[in-house]
């Protein structure tokens, strides 16, 4: 949904210019961000899932598992954020 | 109740965002373009520039003016520096604020809070130790009291036992004494009886002697034969016995 | 079509300067938020620290819980409490400053995360970069560079590639990802909130009923952004601690 919104947003930002090139750029930016979000999405799912099973198996180590989970999310998320940066950079100025 | 209380700030924040943002939304490309057109001199002025620029055989100046207007609109309303490039004034202010904050925190703010926390930790530790000591002391007191209680109980038992023993001894003594008294009394009684008897015997002997003397005198008086003597004596004794 | 006109993205993040215009000391809304975060942090620690009550209340609780949080949740799992003691003021100041600059995203009438400007994240990332490299050279001497770029147990054949990646990692990727993570999260959060509020405003103008759903999502997203503000401050600080820890010891 976010991807769609951001793509739409990029297109909306464009209504004044209305050039083919910029429109394509906007579509590319939206698609690029969407594709960049796929991998990290799966990755964060794996990180959180394993962290939860670790917490369930050893509730006394839940604090450590949670901290490590956030670290893992942060590292994984960086990839999605690079996609986001590309989206921002690609936005037709 | 509780979820409602938690949700309330979110609702307020959302509502305020909702109210505040349309002002930002108004600052759209359209409104920017309108503003710039006003700056140029109104829609009529723009129209004349555009018409002059697009007219066939337009002068170089007119074309230039058109390009200028288009550039102005594009640069100021649509183009913007990339978001990812930091701006110098923000770096200076933000970085300066952070560095000053860091220095202030290291020198002043952090130790202030930290010392309070450590003082509390220290105080709790000493309080706990004091409580522990007090408990140990109370336990010792209790033990001492219990020991004293046991001792006094033992003492009391001993005293009771002693008293019983003494009472026994006393009663034995009294019995002995009583028996002695009884024996003495009995002895005295026996003595008295004896003396009474001996006195009675003495009296009797005296009487017998008198009687004998009397009888003898009678015998002497009458000078009787043996038979009469005997008779006399028997009569006399009989008379004595009748007395 | 709805009267839905989305402002250009640069207009959402760039604010007009209103003092010292054009100079490097120009002040705009972002700068005001930086100063507000600066003052707030000082108030929390100054006022919270000057009340020395046994049972803490108000700001004293905030300051003490903050320090406890940084010590137990950030330093303890990464640097270890004994070793991380000297970084505690630095990390506490950083956590509070980043958190306050983030949380203005949902503060009514301000509604702007100052960290969605690249200035502060990149500056903080450079500070972190200086701190962990200094720590590395101080603890390991010149061997720090060797230990940092040559991980143990790597086959010689791919060593040049690995060493290049590790060098880039230490010199560029770590600070860059640190800055971009914070910045991009805040930009995305702000865009999300603006999108939904513009959408619900436009729908309110045209249909009234249609605004209910985007408005509900807007409220949910406001709550979510509070979480994100906190989490990004936490992640920024804990990654700083992790990088300092990585530089402190050679990998075995």
């Amino acid at each position: 949904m976010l991807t769609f919104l951001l793509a739409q947003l990029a297109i909306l930002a464009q209504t004044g210019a209305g050039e083919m090139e910029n429109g394509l750029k906007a579509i590319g930016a939206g698609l690029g961000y969407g594709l960049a979000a796929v991998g990290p999405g799966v990755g964060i799912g794996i990180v959180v899932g394993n962290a939860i099973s670790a917490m369930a198996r050893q509730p006394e180590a839940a604090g450590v598992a949670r901290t490590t989970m956030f670290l893992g999310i942060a590292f994984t998320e960086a990839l999605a954020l690079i996609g986001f940066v590309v989206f921002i950079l690609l936005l037709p100025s | 109740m509780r979820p409602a209380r938690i949700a309330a700030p979110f609702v307020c924040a959302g509502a305020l965002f909702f109210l505040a943002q349309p002002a930002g939304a108004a600052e759209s490309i359209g409104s920017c373009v309108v503003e710039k057109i006003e700056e140029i001199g109104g829609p009529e002025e723009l129209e004349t520039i555009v018409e002059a620029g697009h007219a066939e055989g337009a002068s170089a100046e007119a074309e230039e003016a058109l390009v200028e207007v288009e550039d102005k609109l594009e640069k100021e309303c649509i183009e913007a520096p990339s978001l990812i490039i930091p701006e110098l004034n923000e770096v200076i202010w933000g970085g300066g604020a952070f560095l000053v904050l860091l220095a202030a925190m290291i020198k002043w703010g952090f130790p202030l809070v930290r010392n309070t926390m450590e003082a509390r930790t220290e105080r709790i530790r000493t309080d706990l130790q004091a409580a522990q000591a007090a408990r140990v002391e109370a336990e010792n007191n209790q033990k001492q009291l219990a020991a004293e209680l046991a001792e006094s109980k033992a003492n009391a038992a001993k005293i009771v036992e002693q008293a019983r023993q003494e009472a026994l001894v006393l009663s034995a003594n009294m019995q002995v004494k009583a028996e002695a008294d009884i024996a003495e009394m009995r002895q005295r009684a026996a003595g008295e009886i004896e003396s009474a008897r001996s006195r009675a015997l003495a009296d009797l002997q005296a009487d017998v002697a008198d009687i004998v003397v009397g009888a003898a005198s009678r015998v002497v008086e009458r000078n009787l034969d043996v038979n009469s003597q005997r008779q006399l004596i028997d009569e006399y004794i009989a008379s004595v016995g009748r007395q | 079509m709805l009267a839905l006109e989305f402002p250009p993205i640069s207009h959402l993040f760039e604010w007009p300067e209103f003092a010292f215009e054009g100079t490097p000391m120009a002040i705009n809304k972002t700068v005001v938020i930086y100063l507000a975060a600066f003052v707030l942090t000082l108030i929390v620690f100054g006022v919270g620290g000057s009340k020395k009550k046994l049972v803490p209340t108000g700001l004293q609780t905030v300051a003490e819980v903050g320090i406890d949080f940084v010590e137990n949740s950030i330093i303890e799992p990464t640097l270890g409490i004994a070793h991380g003691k000297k970084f505690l003021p630095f990390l506490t100041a950083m956590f509070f400053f980043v958190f306050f600059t983030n949380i203005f995203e949902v503060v009514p009438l301000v509604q702007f995360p100052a960290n969605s400007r690249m200035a502060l994240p990149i500056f903080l990332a450079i500070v972190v970069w200086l701190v962990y490299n200094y720590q590395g050279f101080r603890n390991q001497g010149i061997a720090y560079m060797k230990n940092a770029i040559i991980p143990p147990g790597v086959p010689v054949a791919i060593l040049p590639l690995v060493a290049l990646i590790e060098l880039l990692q230490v010199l560029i990727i770590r600070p860059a990802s640190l800055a971009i993570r914070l910045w991009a999260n805040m930009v995305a959060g702000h865009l999300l909130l603006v999108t939904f509020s513009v959408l619900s405003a436009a729908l309110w103008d045209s249909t009234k009923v249609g605004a209910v759903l985007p408005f509900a999502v807007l409220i949910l997203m406001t709550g979510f952004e509070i979480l994100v503000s906190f989490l990004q401050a936490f992640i920024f600080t804990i990654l700083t601690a992790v990088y300092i820890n990585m530089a402190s010891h050679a990998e075995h």
Side-chain angles (χ1 to χ4, degrees):
Chain A
M1 188 166 83
L2 183 63
T3 311
F4 168 72
L5 278 168
L6 290 173
Q8 204 185 24
L9 197 151
I11 294 165
L12 284 169
Q14 223 14 75
T15 41
E19 292 164 11
M20 186 69 168
E21 189 190 341
N22 282 343
L24 286 176
K25 262 187 178 178
I27 291 172
L31 280 181
Y33 174 68
L35 290 176
V38 170
V42 174
I44 289 175
I46 292 173
V47 169
V48 176
N50 285 336
I52 288 173
S53 60
M55 285 183 220
R57 283 185 189 173
Q58 281 184 292
E60 69 277 3
V64 178
R66 193 176 299 117
T67 309
T68 319
M69 178 185 85
F70 281 128
L71 275 180
I73 290 176
F75 284 127
T76 318
E77 192 193 36
L79 298 170
L81 293 178
I82 288 168
F84 182 75
V85 171
V86 170
F87 163 77
I88 291 280
L89 290 179
L90 265 186
L91 273 185
S93 52
Chain B
M1 185 61 208
R2 209 171 155 71
R5 218 183 291 164
I6 293 168
F10 291 165
V11 173
C12 292
L16 280 163
F17 207 108
F18 175 73
L19 291 174
Q21 215 61 47
E27 197 189 332
S28 60
I29 292 174
S31 66
C32 176
V33 168
V34 170
E35 270 175 34
K36 296 300 163 193
I37 289 171
E38 287 300 321
E39 269 178 35
I40 292 165
E44 293 84 11
E45 178 70 24
L46 180 75
E47 212 167 306
T48 53
I49 291 174
V50 171
E51 273 176 11
H54 280 296
E56 278 185 38
S59 64
E61 291 97 67
E63 278 184 359
E64 215 168 274
L66 177 64
V67 169
E68 197 180 311
V69 166
E70 277 176 356
D71 277 358
K72 184 178 169 68
L73 288 181
E74 192 164 317
K75 278 214 178 76
E76 293 184 20
C77 288
I78 299 164
E79 276 187 7
S82 176
L83 280 181
I84 205 163
I85 310 293
E87 303 228 342
L88 182 62
N89 63 327
E90 289 173 1
V91 173
I92 289 173
W93 279 106
F98 179 72
L99 290 182
V100 174
L101 178 71
L102 193 59
M105 281 288 284
I106 290 174
K107 288 285 165 218
W108 173 67
F110 184 80
L112 212 58
V113 179
R114 193 70 182 161
N115 290 346
T116 314
M117 288 167 80
E118 273 164 11
R120 176 182 309 122
T121 311
E122 190 54 37
R123 177 153 172 205
I124 289 173
R125 185 181 300 130
T126 51
D127 280 3
L128 278 180
Q129 277 169 356
Q132 180 70 21
R135 212 182 63 163
V136 168
E137 200 188 318
E139 274 174 5
N140 285 347
N141 276 348
Q142 206 188 7
K143 272 183 200 157
Q144 202 182 339
L145 280 177
E148 279 174 6
L149 192 65
E151 199 185 344
S152 60
K153 264 185 187 165
N155 271 349
K158 212 161 75 181
I159 288 167
V160 167
E161 184 61 25
Q162 205 177 351
R164 217 162 51 112
Q165 293 292 342
E166 279 174 6
L168 274 179
V169 169
L170 204 63
S171 68
N173 284 351
M174 278 168 74
Q175 205 175 356
V176 168
K177 199 177 157 201
E179 274 169 7
D181 282 355
I182 290 167
E184 196 191 320
M185 276 162 75
R186 196 173 279 159
Q187 215 170 353
R188 209 166 48 213
E192 273 172 14
I193 291 168
E194 191 58 36
S195 65
R197 212 177 64 192
S198 54
R199 211 168 44 237
L201 268 176
D203 285 354
L204 200 54
Q205 277 170 349
D207 282 355
V208 168
D210 283 351
I211 291 164
V212 169
V213 171
S217 63
R218 290 276 182 91
V219 169
V220 174
E221 257 171 36
R222 286 184 63 181
N223 208 6
L224 293 170
D225 57 12
V226 173
N227 284 346
S228 56
Q229 273 182 318
R230 179 152 305 267
Q231 200 183 354
L232 278 173
I233 290 168
D234 285 344
E235 276 176 10
Y236 187 73
I237 289 172
S239 72
V240 168
R242 275 195 303 273
Q243 281 178 351
Chain C
M1 173 98 187
L2 300 167
L4 181 62
E5 207 174 356
F6 200 86
I9 286 185
S10 60
H11 286 210
L12 294 176
F13 294 98
E14 273 163 21
W15 296 92
E17 299 164 353
F18 57 79
F20 312 116
E21 294 98 331
T23 66
M25 300 296 286
I27 293 180
N28 57 13
K29 184 172 177 177
T30 317
V31 172
V32 172
I33 293 175
Y34 292 153
L35 296 179
F38 168 75
V39 171
L40 275 176
T41 315
L42 278 190
I43 285 176
V44 165
F45 280 85
V47 177
S50 54
K51 288 192 291 182
K52 297 185 180 302
K53 281 190 287 185
L54 184 64
V55 179
T57 50
L59 283 180
Q60 198 185 352
T61 324
V62 176
E64 293 186 359
V65 168
I67 289 182
D68 266 348
F69 174 75
V70 173
E71 186 170 21
N72 294 329
S73 300
I74 293 178
I75 287 188
E76 199 261 325
T78 53
L79 285 163
I81 286 191
H83 179 232
K85 209 178 175 68
K86 61 182 168 181
F87 295 105
L88 191 50
F90 171 61
L91 293 176
T92 311
M94 183 179 263
F95 175 78
F96 272 86
F97 194 54
V98 174
F99 175 68
F100 280 131
T101 40
N102 281 349
I103 200 67
F104 277 107
E105 181 177 14
V106 290
V107 170
L109 304 179
V110 182
Q111 319 272 33
F112 181 64
N115 282 326
S116 64
R117 306 293 293 145
M118 198 52 169
L120 189 59
I122 200 78
F123 181 84
L124 291 179
I126 290 170
V127 169
V128 170
W129 185 85
L130 289 174
V131 166
Y132 77 71
N133 280 325
Y134 170 75
Q135 180 70 11
F137 280 115
R138 218 188 64 142
N139 277 22
Q140 302 180 35
I142 201 71
Y144 166 61
M145 276 327 285
K146 186 182 88 61
N147 292 337
I149 63 172
I150 303 177
V154 175
V156 183
I158 59 165
L159 191 58
L161 187 62
V162 172
L164 183 66
I165 291 174
E166 289 287 319
L167 186 67
L168 282 177
Q169 173 97 352
V170 170
L171 292 184
I172 297 171
I173 295 178
R174 276 184 197 171
S177 70
L178 202 56
I180 288 174
R181 178 177 298 114
L182 180 57
W183 168 80
N185 267 294
M186 288 301 115
V187 169
H190 191 58
L191 279 182
L192 207 59
L193 291 183
V194 171
T195 306
F196 277 103
S197 53
V198 167
L199 191 62
S200 44
L203 285 171
W204 177 257
D205 281 348
S206 55
T207 63
K208 308 282 184 212
V209 188
V212 172
L213 190 60
F215 186 66
V217 177
L218 173 63
I219 290 169
L220 277 181
M221 284 299 156
T222 306
F224 178 68
E225 287 307 318
I226 293 172
L227 175 72
V228 168
S229 301
F230 174 78
L231 210 57
Q232 287 309 313
F234 171 67
I235 285 175
F236 195 92
T237 320
I238 198 170
L239 282 178
T240 306
V242 167
Y243 293 155
I244 292 174
N245 190 41
M246 279 178 178
S248 299
H249 320 286
E251 281 175 54
H252 301 295

